Amino acid sequence: QVQLVQSGAEVKKPGASVTVSCKASGYTFTSFDINWVRQATGQGLEWMGWMNSNSGNTGFAQKFQGRVTMTRNTSISTAYMELSSLRSEDTAVYYCARARTGTDFDPWGQGTLVTVSS
Amino acid sequence: QSALTQPPSASGSPGQSVTISCTGTSSDVGGYNYVSWYQQHPGKAPKLMIYEVNKRPSGVPDRFSGSKSGSTASLTVSGLQAEDEADYYCSSYAGSNNVVFGGGTKLTVL
């Protein structure tokens, strides 16, 4: 079945960077974009950006431009999201999601909790 | 982009219907037929329920339906069941390869 499996929880200090991985299975990885969405505790969903899994082209929400990088390793069907200059407000669960026909996301990874604390 | 506007809460009794609205602008909801709806149970990842305004992925019950009028999209859940109690989020394409989400609506089954 189509599945996205993310890396485990991370604890980082302010100013550091974090990389979350998202391993795809059950479909041809390069045929679908991967999007990243985050959710702070008790808050709503926030779209961060997308990556074309074939070309590696990316696009980011204005809020994250300059601080986020999205890459992939097609040989292992894995996407990566790196967020730098972390601050406490970045504490959230980060999700990867496959874009099926454009901007509808299915499935989603299980989420990765990133905690930023001194 | 600003988040789409959803009511914080909605409720209904088992068997009833409830509609959740999602209001945007002509730059997002009103400008494209790329509105999606997601269901999220506590501690779980979101699940796609509706895409392209009114299409249901396979496996989603036909009790869930979507529509759009102008810059407001709506999700209707008919024949409410206990397992429908969850948070619901709308999203829309917002041009220039951007996506925007709504703030979410907590649906309570009374």
Side-chain angles (χ1 to χ4, degrees):
Chain A
Q1 74 281 22
V2 176
Q3 194 174 7
L4 299 175
V5 177
Q6 299 182 219
S7 48
E10 303 264 12
V11 179
K12 296 291 183 180
K13 294 192 181 302
S17 297
V18 68
T19 297
V20 179
S21 68
C22 171
K23 183 171 177 59
S25 61
Y27 73 97
T28 301
F29 176 71
T30 51
S31 295
F32 298 87
D33 294 352
I34 291 289
N35 284 248
W36 291 87
V37 177
R38 76 177 186 180
Q39 184 174 37
T41 302
Q43 302 300 309
L45 301 173
E46 183 175 30
W47 181 76
M48 298 180 68
W50 64 275
M51 180 187 69
N52 183 301
S53 304
N54 184 40
S55 66
N57 289 344
T58 54
F60 310 121
Q62 191 170 1
K63 175 177 180 177
F64 299 102
Q65 287 187 11
R67 251 194 345 130
V68 68
T69 305
M70 296 178 187
T71 58
R72 87 278 187 231
N73 183 334
T74 57
S75 67
I76 56 172
S77 300
T78 300
Y80 303 91
M81 186 281 298
E82 179 184 15
L83 188 63
S84 62
S85 303
L86 290 170
R87 34 209 189 232
S88 58
E89 310 89 88
D90 294 318
T91 294
V93 174
Y94 289 76
Y95 293 101
C96 61
R98 184 186 74 161
R100 294 186 335 148
T101 63
T103 57
D104 47 293
F105 303 153
D106 177 60
W108 295 56
Q110 83 276 20
T112 297
L113 175 62
V114 175
T115 302
V116 183
S117 174
S118 55
Chain B
Q1 302 88 352
S2 299
L4 306 176
T5 300
Q6 297 182 234
S9 63
S11 63
S13 299
Q16 289 186 331
S17 294
V18 65
T19 297
I20 298 170
S21 63
C22 169
T23 301
T25 69
S26 59
S27 297
D28 38 62
V29 175
Y32 309 95
N33 288 323
Y34 291 115
V35 175
S36 299
W37 288 92
Y38 300 90
Q39 176 191 67
Q40 186 180 36
H41 287 110
K44 300 295 187 181
K47 175 187 175 184
L48 179 68
M49 304 301 284
I50 295 289
Y51 67 100
E52 293 177 11
V53 176
N54 57 14
K55 298 177 181 177
R56 272 180 291 105
S58 64
V60 172
D62 59 8
R63 302 185 294 103
F64 291 85
S65 62
S67 62
K68 190 185 86 166
S69 177
S71 297
T72 298
S74 299
L75 172 72
T76 297
V77 186
S78 304
L80 270 175
Q81 298 183 5
E83 59 262 36
D84 299 332
E85 184 162 296
D87 294 327
Y88 290 83
Y89 294 90
C90 62
S91 74
S92 175
Y93 181 63
S96 302
N97 291 318
N98 287 299
V99 174
V100 62
F101 280 96
T105 297
K106 181 176 180 60
L107 175 60
T108 300
V109 180
L110 302 171

